[in-house]
Structure formats: structure tokens, C-alpha cells
């Protein structure tokens, strides 16, 4: 297997494992849940980065596309794969944990702001540590990316539920942690945040262009 198919399968598998890890961490009720989620992303980024870039997040894929690092075909394949992986993870989770009894309650305005801002931070970090020519070949990118998610989950998870990722939000909607009525927020805010991050990256790195 090679090309777009290989990358899409890698994205689906890694997103599946990431969302399953999130559901497990949330169900554990541990105070270390944000740290567990951050480390889960970090190790999966290291495991999959050499194949697909390890986006595991439609908002990140959109940011990389705007940055010039993905073709339209790859963008579509990545997003479909991520969403499929997330839904499968939620369905598999029912073999171990029941659906959440109650979805996270959020203030839509505040949740929209923090989801946008922290996805912007996440995408901006990904673009700089995993796609920039100036950090090419570095060994810290996974920890940097996982670290952002840890900080976001710890800092504003109580406000929005800490999605920062439309695929994760879809998976958590299936498993009951997120309210289906709020899914639009977890799609729109992260995508806007990712797009802004890509524009900022291009403005600040005008000499750093890649061929998708």
C-alpha cells in the first residue's frame, strides 16, 4: 500500500486509537485525564508522522492544506479517514464503557472562543514544528503537539469539553460525552482556528513553501 490510500489508513488508525484513548481517559475519572490525552496524541504523532504527518484532526488537515502541504484529494481522504476512525472508536468503546449518562454542558459563546483559540494554537504549533523547513528533522514535534492538547484540556476543558478537533467531537458525540446539538460548534470553531493559524504561518514564513 502506498500513496493517498496508505496515508488515509494511517490517519484512520491513529485517530481511532486517539479517540478510544480519550474515551478511556474520560471514563477513568482521573485528575490526570488531560495529561493522558496529551501523551496519547504525542505518541501517536510519533508513530504515524512519517507516514501521513499524523494530523488526526480535520482542522489540522485544513491548516496544512492552506499552508500548501496537502492536495485537495489528500485533504478529503484525510478528513474522511479521521471521521471514520473516530466513529469506529466510539462504537468499540461501548464494549467496555456505557454511553455517557449526560453530555457536557457548555456556554456556547465561551466554548466557541476557547475551541477556536486553542485549535489555532494547536494548528500553529503543528505547522511550525512538523511542516516548517526550519524545524525539519527535529525530534520534539510530537511532544510539542501533545503538549498543546494537554494545556488546552487542562486550561479550558471545563469550558468547552476540550475538543479542539472535529473528529474527536464526532466520536465523543457518538459516545455521549458531547451533545449532538453542539456538534456544529466543534466543527466550525476548530476549522476557523486552523485556517487562521495557516494564514498566520504563511504571513510569517513567506519563504517557506512546499509542494503538496
Amino acid at each position: 500500500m502506498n500513496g493517498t490510500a496508505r496515508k488515509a489508513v494511517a490517519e484512520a488508525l491513529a485517530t481511532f486509537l486517539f479517540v478510544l484513548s480519550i474515551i478511556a481517559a474520560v471514563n477513568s475519572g482521573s485528575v490526570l485525564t488531560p495529561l493522558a490525552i496529551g501523551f496519547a496524541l504525542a505518541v501517536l504523532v510519533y508513530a504515524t508522522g512519517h507516514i501521513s504527518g499524523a494530523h488526526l484532526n480535520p482542522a489540522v488537515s485544513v491548516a496544512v492544506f492552506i499552508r500548501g502541504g496537502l492536495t485537495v484529494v489528500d485533504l478529503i481522504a484525510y478528513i474522511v479517514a479521521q471521521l471514520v476512525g473516530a466513529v469506529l472508536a466510539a462504537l468499540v468503546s461501548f464494549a467496555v464503557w456505557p454511553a455517557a449518562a449526560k453530555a457536557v454542558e457548555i456556554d456556547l459563546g465561551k466554548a466557541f472562543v476557547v475551541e477556536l483559540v486553542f485549535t489555532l494554537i494547536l494548528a500553529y504549533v503543528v505547522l511550525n514544528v512538523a511542516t516548517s523547513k526550519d524545524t525539519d528533522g527535529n525530534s520534539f514535534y510530537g511532544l510539542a503537539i501533545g503538549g498543546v492538547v494537554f494545556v488546552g484540556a487542562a486550561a479550558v476543558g471545563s469550558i468547552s469539553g476540550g475538543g479542539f478537533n472535529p473528529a474527536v467531537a464526532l466520536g465523543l458525540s457518538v459516545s455521549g460525552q458531547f451533545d449532538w446539538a453542539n456538534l456544529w460548534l466543534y466543527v466550525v470553531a476548530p476549522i476557523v482556528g486552523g485556517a487562521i493559524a495557516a494564514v498566520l504561518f504563511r504571513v510569517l514564513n513567506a519563504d517557506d513553501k512546499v509542494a503538496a
Side-chain angles (χ1 to χ4, degrees):
M1 183 182 295
N2 52 38
T4 298
R6 177 173 181 252
K7 291 183 284 189
V9 170
E11 285 290 310
L13 175 59
T15 305
F16 170 86
L17 296 173
F18 182 43
V19 173
L20 191 61
S21 297
I22 292 172
I23 295 172
V26 169
N27 276 282
S28 75
S30 171
V31 296
L32 297 178
T33 291
L35 186 61
I37 293 171
F39 268 110
L41 180 58
V43 297
L44 289 167
V45 166
Y46 280 123
T48 316
H50 66 290
I51 300 175
S52 65
H55 300 174
L56 285 57
N57 184 336
V60 169
S61 294
V62 168
V64 175
F65 170 73
I66 294 173
R67 178 256 193 277
L70 279 182
T71 65
V72 173
V73 171
D74 279 353
L75 174 65
I76 295 171
Y78 274 44
I79 292 176
V80 171
Q82 292 154 1
L83 296 177
V84 169
V87 170
L88 290 176
L91 295 176
V92 168
S93 75
F94 292 138
V96 183
W97 304 279
K102 185 178 181 181
V104 173
E105 294 184 4
I106 61 172
D107 178 302
L108 290 177
K110 294 178 180 178
F112 191 94
V113 170
V114 299
E115 286 289 314
L116 188 157
V117 170
F118 276 86
T119 308
L120 187 160
I121 298 170
L122 172 61
Y124 187 69
V125 168
V126 171
L127 293 174
N128 278 281
V129 303
T131 77
S132 172
K133 67 179 183 181
D134 293 326
T135 55
D136 186 40
N138 72 80
S139 60
F140 61 78
Y141 68 104
L143 286 176
I145 295 167
V148 174
V149 170
F150 163 58
V151 171
V156 299
S158 61
I159 297 175
S160 69
F164 322 131
N165 183 330
V168 166
L170 177 60
L172 294 184
S173 295
V174 173
S175 64
Q177 275 85 12
F178 285 179
D179 190 331
W180 282 103
N182 298 329
L183 183 58
W184 68 270
L185 182 153
Y186 295 106
V187 173
V188 176
I191 293 295
V192 172
I196 294 172
V199 171
L200 292 173
F201 179 87
R202 294 189 66 167
V203 169
L204 295 173
N205 299 273
D207 63 335
D208 190 348
K209 296 181 180 180
V210 296

